Each structure stands twice: as structure tokens, then as C-alpha cells.
Amino acid sequence: MEWNQLQKEFETKANHVLQWLNNEYGLIRTGRVNLSIFDKVHVMCYGEEMKLNQLANIQIVNATQVLIKPYDKSQIQEITKGISVANLNVNPIINPDSIRINFPPQTEENRKASVKQAKKILEDAKVRIRDVRKDIQTMYKKLDNVSEDLIRYFEDELNKITKKYNTTLETRYSEKEKELMTM
């Protein structure tokens, strides 16, 4: 196994960590409504658990309001129950053919709590990157016929790539923090 193969494996796993970070950041509520917060809403419908986006059209009305129009209007109560179980801290307003959700404006306290949550996600992502790095180190140290010089070269290259990914994580956190603190 060559360095190029190990590097590709590291980058593949590290990109999964970046994707995870972006998904987690998408779930943090900002001053504007983001439809990804409904990704964790599951509804018991037709005898099985289904995602909300499979059962209804979800659209943003304005920065703080969402309109949910079920494809089958008889499922409005089940959808409302699913939203309550998902613990989104909202009160759905039930209309005959739709559900309207008003999100309260973010307070300074909520924004700071969201920044703390984003920081915790960043730290988790950094730990995951370190774990990937450790796995790759273990792989190349187990290789046969590898000189000390080559191991040092691998270490240096791995450190450079790890630093690059950590910088990317920090940049993404800074962007999210700015987004969260902007009114």
C-alpha cells in the first residue's frame, strides 16, 4: 500500500466527517427557518414510520414561518404528533388542509446556546479527524519493509493533511457562528 492510497483513504474518511459536520450544523436553528430541521421528524403513517417530507409538501412562508401541506389530509393529526415528538419547541397551528408553524425569534440567550452547540459539534468533528488520522498511522506502521525515513515522511504528510482539514472545520465553525449571531 502506497502513500497515495493511504492519503485517498484519509481524505475519503475526513470528507465524511465534514459532511457530518455540515449536516449537524444544518440542524441548528438560526434566525431564519431552515427546512433541514424537519429531517428528524418521523410520522407513524399507514402502519409504518415515514419521514415528514414523504408525507407532505413543506414550504417556507417567511423567515419565521413554515407551511406544511399533507398529501393526504387525513394524516394531519399524525403529522402534528410527529412534530411534537421531534421536540422542535414549536406549536403547530392546525388548519383543515395544512399545518402552519411559527418559529419564535431567536433571543440573544438562544443564539449563545446555539453557538455553544456548534462549538461542541466542532470539537466532536476534530476528534473524529484525529481518529481517522490514528487509523491511517496504524495502517502505514504495520506495512512491511518501511524505513524510518519513510515513516517520518508519512507522518509529515499526514500532519499537513490533518492540519488542512482542521482549518476547514474551523472555517466552517466561524461561518456558522457568524450566521448564528447575525440578526
Side-chain angles (χ1 to χ4, degrees), residues 89-136:
N89 297 323
V90 294
N91 292 321
I93 300 167
I94 303 170
N95 298 322
D97 63 342
S98 65
I99 302 168
R100 192 171 293 275
I101 299 176
N102 291 315
F103 288 86
Q106 289 281 70
T107 63
E108 187 70 22
E109 185 179 312
N110 290 352
R111 290 176 189 279
K112 287 180 180 178
S114 294
V115 169
K116 281 184 182 178
Q117 183 183 2
K119 184 70 171 177
K120 183 183 179 324
I121 292 169
L122 169 69
E123 294 306 321
D124 289 348
K126 284 182 173 181
V127 167
R128 289 176 183 215
I129 292 287
R130 280 194 298 270
D131 290 345
V132 170
R133 180 179 181 272
K134 186 178 176 184
D135 291 346
I136 298 299

Side-chain angles (χ1 to χ4, degrees), residues 67-68 70 73 75-81 83-84 91-101:
L67 182 66
I68 301 171
K73 291 171 186 29
Q75 297 300 319
I76 286 182
Q77 293 302 323
E78 292 300 319
I79 291 172
T80 305
K81 192 185 304 179
I83 292 169
S84 298
N91 292 321
I93 300 167
I94 303 170
N95 298 322
D97 63 342
S98 65
I99 302 168
R100 192 171 293 275
I101 299 176

Side-chain angles (χ1 to χ4, degrees), residues 16-32:
H16 286 296
V17 173
L18 283 174
Q19 186 177 11
W20 173 82
L21 177 93
N22 287 326
N23 289 341
E24 290 297 310
Y25 278 177
L27 297 175
I28 297 175
R29 190 168 158 250
T30 61
R32 303 178 63 77

Side-chain angles (χ1 to χ4, degrees), residues 3 24 44 47 52 57 60 82-83 107 111 126 154 159 173:
W3 168 244
E24 290 297 310
M44 279 306 291
L52 177 59
N57 182 19
I60 297 175
I83 292 169
T107 63
R111 290 176 189 279
K126 284 182 173 181
F154 283 165
N159 286 338
Y173 167 74

Side-chain angles (χ1 to χ4, degrees), residues 9 32 34 39 61 71 73 100 104 108 119 124 143 145 165 174:
E9 183 155 347
R32 303 178 63 77
N34 185 345
D39 289 348
V61 177
Y71 301 129
K73 291 171 186 29
R100 192 171 293 275
E108 187 70 22
K119 184 70 171 177
D124 289 348
L143 295 175
N145 303 326
Y165 275 95
S174 296

